[in-house]
Amino acid sequence: MTNTIDWKVIVRDLLEGRTQLELQDITGVHQGVISDLKSGKPKPHLTYVNGAALIKAHQELCQEKTEEA
């Protein structure tokens, strides 16, 4: 079984209510990488640090939404 991360969904969720530049400031992930992930372009060389930053921000967003509910 292979677990894959849907970067397009993660970035879409994180961009809700903010710009790509704002997300860059929050995560440290370059806007160009965010743009590529948002459009579904494959990123075979996405760094661990960038991936971890996006996942962490997404987890925090999901936690906030859970607490609001």
Side-chain angles (χ1 to χ4, degrees), residues 36-53:
D36 287 349
L37 293 172
K38 179 184 176 208
S39 66
K41 290 184 182 174
K43 294 301 288 180
H45 301 293
L46 180 66
T47 67
Y48 176 84
V49 172
N50 285 349

Side-chain angles (χ1 to χ4, degrees), residues 17-34:
R18 61 177 59 104
T19 67
Q20 291 180 12
L21 289 175
E22 289 170 333
L23 183 56
Q24 173 182 286
D25 291 342
I26 293 167
T27 62
V29 178
H30 190 273
Q31 180 272 328
V33 173
I34 292 168

Side-chain angles (χ1 to χ4, degrees), residues 3-16:
N3 290 334
T4 59
I5 298 172
D6 192 340
W7 295 109
K8 192 172 182 178
V9 170
I10 288 174
V11 170
R12 181 199 65 214
D13 290 351
L14 289 170
L15 287 172
E16 194 172 298

Side-chain angles (χ1 to χ4, degrees), residues 62-69:
C62 290
Q63 181 65 31
E64 289 172 12
K65 287 183 177 183
T66 300
E67 290 173 359
E68 290 174 0

